[in-house]
C-alpha cells in the first residue's frame, strides 16, 4: 500500500524531514540526496502511487505547492525544473507521487 512508503512516514511524522512548506493537501520537503542547490519534493498527503493515479484537483494542489516552493526558495524569476518519475523505466524509487523541484543551477536538455 502506497501509504506505507517512506513519504507516508514523513507525512505521519514518523521520520524527520526538512519541511519547506505544508498546507492541508500537500507537503514539501528537501530531498536527502539533492541534485541541485535547491531540491525539494512536493507530495500530496493522499497516498497515490504515481501520476497515473492523480486527478486534476490533486495536480492543482501540487501546482500550488510548486509555486509556493519556487517563491520561498527564490526560484520564480531565475527558473527551475519540475520532474516527476513514473514507474521503473523513468527511475521512480519511491512509490508515492512526488514532484521534484530543482533549482539554483543551470540544467541541460534532454535529461538522461
Ligand atoms: P524518485 O527516484 O523520482 O522516486 O525520487 C525519490 C527521491 O526521494 C530521491 O531523490 C531520494 O533522494 C528521495 N528520498 C528518499 N528518501 C528520502 C527521505 N527520507 N527524505 C527526503 N528525500 C528522500
Amino acid at each position: 500500500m502506497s501509504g506505507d512508503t517512506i513519504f507516508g512516514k514523513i507525512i505521519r511524522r514518523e521520520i524527520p524531514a526538512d519541511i519547506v512548506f505544508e498546507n492541508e493537501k500537500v507537503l514539501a520537503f528537501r530531498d536527502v540526496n539533492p541534485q541541485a542547490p535547491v531540491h525539494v519534493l512536493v507530495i500530496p498527503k493522499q497516498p497515490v502511487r504515481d501520476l497515473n493515479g492523480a486527478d486534476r484537483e490533486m495536480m492543482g494542489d501540487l501546482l500550488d505547492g510548486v509555486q509556493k516552493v519556487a517563491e520561498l526558495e527564490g526560484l520564480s524569476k531565475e527558473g527551475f525544473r519540475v520532474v516527476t518519475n513514473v514507474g521503473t523505466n523513468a527511475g521512480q524509487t519511491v512509490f508515492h507521487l512526488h514532484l521534484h523541484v530543482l533549482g539554483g543551477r543551470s540544467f541541460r536538455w534532454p535529461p538522461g
Side-chain angles (χ1 to χ4, degrees), residues 46 48 50-62 97:
Q46 198 181 319
V48 164
D50 61 34
L51 208 52
N52 290 314
D55 61 14
R56 288 183 175 86
E57 188 182 344
M58 180 174 282
M59 293 312 292
D61 293 334
L62 290 172
L97 174 62

Side-chain angles (χ1 to χ4, degrees), residues 6-7 10 15-18 29-35 39 41 83-86 90-96 98 100:
I6 197 147
F7 292 173
I10 288 174
I15 61 167
D18 186 354
F29 52 95
R30 295 188 196 284
D31 196 295
V32 278
N33 183 23
Q35 301 302 311
H39 187 171
L41 303 173
V83 174
T84 188
N85 296 318
V86 182
Q92 185 176 6
T93 57
V94 179
F95 295 94
H96 180 126
H98 50 284
H100 297 256

